[in-house]
Amino acid sequence: METTKNGLTITMIFKAQSLNYGEGIGNISELKKLSRGDGSTYTFASRQALRYDIARLGNKMFGWNLEVVDKSKGTVQFREDLSIKDSQEMDLFGYMKTSKKTDDNDGGSNIRSAAVRLSNAISLEEYKSDMDFLNNKGLADRINEFPNLANVEQHLSYYTYTITIDLDKVGIDGNIVLDNETRKERVIQLLEILKVLNREIRGREENLSPIFAIGGVYTLNSPFFLGRIKLDGKDGEFSLDTEILKDTMTLKLGENSIEEDTKVGIVKNCLKNEKEIEEAFDGKVMNIQDFFEDIESKVSEYYN
């Protein structure tokens, strides 16, 4: 008896600059950062930031309904009168609706767990304390005033993040069960967004479209390749550590290794050891467009 393949996971690499700022100090804007035990520091874009831009592009590309939030209960949250029928975002990323205790209501929380889960996008290159000194001299000169000064942390790096999708959960919430065509459409739209994902920040539009992707649809929903991406940089060129990924692909689910369902997408001439990657994953390497088309065909097969 064949086990159903309902767990989709993709780990991606993209190249971008200064993606997510935290709370600054004085006139210094600080990037969100993580520190490691060896003293190294890496910047990251939070999963909430990625979700924001996914929803923004979902609305722009496919007309996703974002008019689903209010503050009628004192906190900003999804509206009580709407369900996953009305919101692709609520369906894919889950929700929590709270209510106060009244004579007719015990109060508490109504929670729908996410069918789609994102990791933070973490830089693959260390942050070296690069800083940009800014002022608004152009505007100040117009009215003969002194300019305002600011310091902004900057980091250009490759980043990696992972997405997992439980295909079983999409379109199902308690007694609400959407038809399979709608469920399929929502997942494929999400994949189309990830393929061309970008981020609008501080007057810039950063390209988050992957230059490398690895993953597939498996019998278990798990981020197999999360934390398995390593780049080695030398003389301005970067090579992907293929040994980590090859070893990860030996993991077995039952009698079969995940290698059987894994594919690799790559943009030409972005990684120095491209030929090594093609040899290491012989027969599994394709361009990014074909990679996403392959994943989408597996999604269609599942819902059909």
Side-chain angles (χ1 to χ4, degrees):
M1 181 177 178
E2 186 176 352
T3 306
T4 303
K5 296 177 182 178
N6 55 12
L8 192 162
T9 184
I10 307 174
T11 294
M12 289 166 274
I13 299 174
F14 64 85
K15 184 179 181 180
Q17 179 177 343
S18 307
L19 292 177
N20 205 181
Y21 288 89
E23 187 173 355
I25 301 174
N27 68 343
I28 300 175
S29 295
E30 294 188 1
L31 289 167
K32 291 189 175 182
K33 296 186 284 289
L34 297 169
S35 298
R36 299 284 290 161
D38 60 1
S40 56
T41 301
Y42 298 88
T43 61
F44 73 96
S46 70
R47 62 178 180 80
Q48 293 90 342
L50 295 176
R51 169 179 164 169
Y52 172 86
D53 283 300
I54 289 171
R56 175 180 60 82
L57 281 178
N59 174 258
K60 187 175 182 179
M61 294 170 62
F62 302 110
W64 284 12
N65 180 19
L66 302 185
E67 303 298 320
V68 293
V69 177
D70 68 16
K71 198 180 177 182
S72 60
K73 297 179 181 178
T75 58
V76 177
Q77 58 183 298
F78 288 109
R79 286 164 46 184
E80 183 65 34
D81 60 325
L82 299 180
S83 71
I84 64 169
K85 289 182 181 179
D86 311 293
S87 170
Q88 298 87 344
E89 187 181 12
M90 290 170 64
D91 185 13
L92 297 175
F93 295 105
Y95 61 80
M96 181 176 71
K97 300 177 183 179
T98 62
S99 60
K100 295 180 179 179
K101 185 175 182 180
T102 64
D103 293 337
D104 302 320
N105 185 354
D106 292 333
S109 301
N110 177 19
I111 298 173
R112 173 15 168 85
S113 62
V116 176
R117 296 179 184 269
L118 293 161
S119 72
N120 295 328
I122 301 176
S123 70
L124 292 167
E125 303 170 53
E126 288 186 47
Y127 175 61
K128 301 291 188 179
S129 300
D130 291 327
M131 188 80 73
D132 188 13
F133 176 74
L134 304 175
N135 64 65
N136 59 348
K137 186 176 185 299
L139 294 178
D141 284 352
R142 298 180 192 179
I143 55 174
N144 296 317
E145 286 289 338
F146 291 105
N148 303 113
L149 307 179
N151 291 281
V152 182
E153 291 184 340
Q154 297 288 349
H155 189 209
L156 176 63
S157 175
Y158 286 103
Y159 290 79
T160 182
Y161 74 102
T162 298
I163 186 168
T164 59
I165 306 174
D166 190 335
L167 300 179
D168 268 352
K169 287 185 178 180
V170 175
I172 298 177
D173 185 13
N175 295 326
I176 300 174
V177 180
L178 304 183
D179 63 85
N180 280 356
E181 186 63 29
T182 299
R183 299 169 72 193
K184 177 180 75 174
E185 180 182 79
R186 289 184 173 182
V187 175
I188 289 179
Q189 286 181 356
L190 174 60
L191 292 170
E192 287 293 300
I193 293 166
L194 295 176
K195 185 174 65 179
V196 296
L197 187 61
N198 60 60
R199 178 157 173 75
E200 295 179 349
I201 180 170
R202 299 197 171 211
R204 295 176 284 116
E205 191 159 12
E206 292 291 330
N207 184 6
L208 277 57
S209 176
I211 60 107
F212 176 86
I214 184 169
V217 181
Y218 308 90
T219 57
L220 176 69
N221 186 41
S222 180
F224 298 112
F225 300 100
L226 178 63
R228 303 295 191 269
I229 298 293
K230 180 182 177 183
L231 287 185
D232 298 313
K234 185 178 181 181
D235 299 327
E237 296 182 300
F238 291 84
S239 298
L240 179 69
D241 188 327
T242 58
E243 292 301 317
I244 298 175
L245 297 176
K246 285 168 60 180
D247 195 52
T248 300
M249 287 169 60
T250 63
L251 290 172
K252 286 189 174 183
L253 298 175
E255 296 181 354
N256 301 318
S257 69
I258 64 172
E259 180 179 5
E260 297 180 19
D261 297 310
T262 300
K263 295 294 176 65
V264 173
I266 190 170
V267 174
K268 289 286 186 181
N269 298 327
C270 285
L271 296 171
K272 183 179 179 180
N273 63 331
E274 183 179 320
K275 289 185 178 180
E276 179 193 339
I277 294 170
E278 292 176 348
E279 292 173 358
F281 307 109
D282 186 36
K284 296 180 175 294
V285 180
M286 57 196 74
N287 64 35
I288 292 295
Q289 177 62 34
D290 290 343
F291 174 85
F292 276 92
E293 286 183 1
D294 183 78
I295 296 289
E296 289 172 13
S297 70
K298 300 290 175 49
V299 171
S300 297
E301 183 180 327
Y302 173 78
Y303 287 117
N304 289 338

